[in-house]
Amino acid sequence: MVVTRGLAVRQDVTLAPDPRRVIVKLFVPGEDAAVVRTRARALIDRVAQLDDEETGRLLRDTFDRFGARHRDLAGTFHHHYGLVRHRAARARDLSPTSRLLVGAYFSHEYAVEAAALCNPSMVAHPDQTDLGTGQLRVAVSLRQIGEGHVSSIGFATAVLGPGRQLSVADRAGPLAVGQRMGLRHRRDLLVAGLAEEDCDNEVTATVLDALPDRYDEVTFERVLGNLPPDLLSRSTGLGTVEQLRRTNAGSYATAFPADTALHQRVLWPATPAESSGMEDARFVRFVDETGPVYRATYTAYDGRSIATRALVSSDLRRFEMMPMRGPGARNKGLALFPRTVGGRHLALCRADGETIGLTVLDGENRWQAPTPLHAPSDSWELIQVGNCGSPIETDAGWLVLTHGVGPMRRYAIGALLLDLHRPERVLARLPGALLSPDENDRDGYVPNVVYSCGAVIHDGELWLPYGAGDARVGFATVPVRALLAAMLESPATSDRDG
């Protein structure tokens, strides 16, 4: 395999998974048994039989052991008690202390990155205060993998420059899981979802006619409640109503307390489609006439199937999540352009599982069938190719970092250059790989992998965060001018239309 040597310089800084980064989750004894038989009622009865002294001692001991590791542990225990209180034979007789202790018994710590930390993307941080000359603060998104191979999205903060200096802020402190917030749903996204699910009948037509362009949950339920009885009595009526609810619930909002630092925020699965993981977030700072906003795509996994989803945030504190629809959004690895091109919203995709394509968002919020850009061709990428994050705008064109998979499922990173005004046109391709697994970063949770979900350019350098062995995160720098020169002067340069 040809490797473009001397361009990519690995940094000494590494982010390793930290098992001390924990959240509190609901724990119901018996739910994980081979024969599911919840033991909740018996457990609550045993807690209720403890005397006041023992109850108080156990609760104080629990707070002493775990209180400093979590935000508002008492509030979490109270919430978990509320979820299981229906199992208590005499809930009204339980003292406030007993209720908190019940909540403690129905809670457990989960280490969000105990197994691995990988697949980062990097964008300019919303806070650029208190920096020196030549510095840029960046937000680094991370795929965190814990027990059961469940992935969530976490963050780190780093400062680039001056020069090739890199410092990553400490990631200590209690974590916070985002809390569900009210969302102004978009009618056009509901229309696109119903069309993709081939759900079109009198019930859906009546509901869609009654909904405004933006609506909240109260409005949605009111419209469903006002459906004429003669529609609900049809054989498909109630089933369609449930499908409307499921499709609508695919969009949600989550937010974090204002006093949490970015590295303390965890985007945790919140819908059935995400129940087994939120994977490989590709963040980009999108700019249009309304100003900058953070957008990302990620893969939702429910244990059987995958779905491409999008998120948007103005401040990386409140996030809105939504499904992505259309043939261009099938499979993994969709990455958004940082701005419109010729009035079009564009994205890179890999709809067929092995080819990098360009897809366009149509007026009905569906990503259209992609135009192929680059198929597996060189020996280091014959299994499949895909992007390593959103295109990066340069004077020479859109710089696209790619990944390729070769023998022994070995992942390496390459690069393409697309025309600024006609991204369907491939201008150049880097001959060989830009970054490949070396002896220091090939081993891990998934061996022989280097992989990125997005880089940034700062002060003439391409800053490339990458997952090594799907286990930890490294950083590399590449002089942009040298990288473009290697691509444009290469015999591999392509002047074909995509």
Side-chain angles (χ1 to χ4, degrees):
M1 176 180 71
V2 176
V3 178
T4 309
R5 299 189 181 278
L7 289 180
V9 178
R10 285 174 167 84
Q11 298 286 317
D12 293 333
V13 178
T14 300
L15 278 177
D18 185 351
R20 296 171 299 178
R21 291 174 58 81
V22 291
I23 61 175
V24 181
K25 291 178 59 183
L26 179 68
F27 168 66
V28 181
E31 279 194 339
D32 56 353
V35 178
V36 177
R37 179 181 64 84
T38 178
R39 304 194 301 270
R41 187 181 300 275
L43 173 56
I44 295 174
D45 288 344
R46 290 194 288 270
V47 175
Q49 292 170 10
L50 298 174
D51 60 38
D52 290 344
E53 182 179 353
E54 180 70 358
T55 299
R57 186 191 64 78
L58 283 171
L59 190 61
R60 287 192 300 272
D61 182 65
T62 302
F63 281 127
D64 288 344
R65 290 176 182 272
F66 299 99
R69 290 162 64 92
H70 304 282
R71 294 173 57 92
D72 189 18
L73 192 57
T76 301
F77 290 166
H78 181 72
H79 174 64
H80 286 177
Y81 166 74
L83 296 178
V84 300
R85 61 182 296 181
H86 64 286
R87 300 287 185 184
R90 296 185 301 174
R92 294 179 182 177
D93 296 336
L94 289 175
S95 69
T97 301
S98 294
R99 293 175 186 181
L100 286 178
L101 187 59
V102 168
Y105 274 102
F106 282 85
S107 302
H108 76 119
E109 286 190 328
Y110 181 90
V112 295
E113 57 189 57
L117 191 69
C118 58
N119 299 0
S121 71
M122 182 183 285
V123 289
H125 197 286
D127 177 15
Q128 294 296 323
T129 61
D130 301 322
L131 293 176
T133 302
Q135 291 186 318
L136 175 72
R137 183 174 290 114
V138 292
V140 183
S141 72
L142 302 160
R143 178 182 175 184
Q144 308 169 141
I145 306 175
E147 178 187 355
H149 197 77
V150 177
S151 296
S152 58
I153 299 172
F155 299 94
T157 297
V159 174
L160 314 180
R164 289 181 172 174
Q165 295 183 48
L166 168 67
S167 61
V168 178
D170 184 77
R171 301 174 70 220
L175 302 184
V177 174
Q179 298 299 307
R180 289 288 288 264
M181 306 291 291
L183 174 68
R184 299 283 291 175
H185 291 271
R186 290 172 48 181
R187 180 183 177 278
D188 57 353
L189 291 179
L190 179 60
V191 171
L194 293 172
E196 186 156 288
E197 295 159 10
D198 196 24
C199 183
D200 179 15
N201 56 36
E202 287 73 19
V203 172
T204 59
T206 302
V207 170
L208 293 175
D209 284 345
L211 286 173
D213 290 341
R214 288 274 187 169
Y215 59 92
D216 57 18
E217 291 292 341
V218 173
T219 301
F220 180 71
E221 288 299 325
R222 185 174 66 247
V223 169
L224 293 183
N226 290 335
L227 281 168
D230 52 343
L231 286 182
L232 291 176
S233 64
R234 303 181 69 178
S235 61
T236 58
L238 292 178
T240 300
V241 169
E242 290 308 309
Q243 188 164 3
L244 279 161
R245 285 196 173 102
R246 285 195 301 271
T247 305
N248 191 64
S251 298
Y252 67 94
T254 187
F256 297 87
D259 62 347
T260 55
L262 180 62
H263 70 268
Q264 295 173 321
R265 300 169 190 167
V266 175
L267 291 172
W268 184 258
T271 66
E274 303 168 348
S275 56
S276 290
M278 303 167 71
E279 304 175 358
D280 301 349
R282 287 162 158 80
F283 275 81
V284 67
R285 189 172 179 268
F286 183 90
V287 179
D288 62 12
E289 63 278 1
T290 64
V293 67
Y294 294 97
R295 298 185 184 275
T297 63
Y298 64 95
T299 301
Y301 180 54
D302 66 3
R304 299 181 303 277
S305 59
I306 60 171
T308 300
R309 295 181 57 86
L311 67 79
V312 60
S313 175
S314 63
D315 56 5
L316 299 183
R317 188 175 75 84
R318 186 182 189 277
F319 300 82
E320 294 185 4
M321 276 72 165
M322 62 211 72
M324 303 183 75
R325 307 293 187 181
R330 293 174 189 149
N331 216 299
K332 297 183 176 183
L334 194 144
L336 303 168
F337 276 62
R339 63 171 176 85
T340 59
V341 180
R344 301 177 298 167
H345 288 268
L346 304 177
L348 301 173
C349 66
R350 197 184 68 202
D352 67 352
E354 62 180 23
T355 304
I356 299 175
L358 181 74
T359 180
V360 182
L361 186 68
D362 68 15
E364 298 178 347
N365 273 290
R366 290 171 55 84
W367 292 95
Q368 293 303 290
T371 298
L373 296 179
H374 177 60
S377 57
D378 289 344
S379 59
W380 63 276
E381 58 177 13
L382 285 184
I383 293 178
Q384 69 186 47
V385 293
N387 68 74
C388 276
S390 294
I392 304 171
E393 188 169 4
T394 73
D395 291 340
W398 293 105
L399 176 61
V400 176
L401 296 175
T402 69
H403 72 264
V405 185
M408 293 293 289
R409 197 171 175 258
R410 186 172 187 256
Y411 278 67
I413 296 175
L416 295 175
L417 190 67
L418 309 181
D419 188 279
L420 274 181
H421 306 290
R422 294 176 56 207
E424 299 88 349
R425 185 170 178 244
V426 179
L427 299 179
R429 180 162 62 93
L430 188 70
L434 175 65
L435 191 71
S436 302
D438 66 10
E439 294 306 312
N440 294 320
D441 57 25
R442 65 177 294 186
D443 298 323
Y445 192 59
V446 180
N448 307 307
V449 171
V450 292
Y451 190 91
S452 180
C453 287
V456 298
I457 290 177
H458 172 59
D459 201 19
E461 293 281 337
L462 176 72
W463 288 83
L464 173 61
Y466 63 93
D470 268 13
R472 57 202 169 276
V473 171
F475 300 87
T477 59
V478 184
V480 175
R481 184 173 298 178
L483 175 58
L484 294 175
M487 298 173 72
L488 293 170
E489 296 172 4
S490 164
T493 297
S494 170
D495 194 28
R496 66 172 179 84
D497 288 341

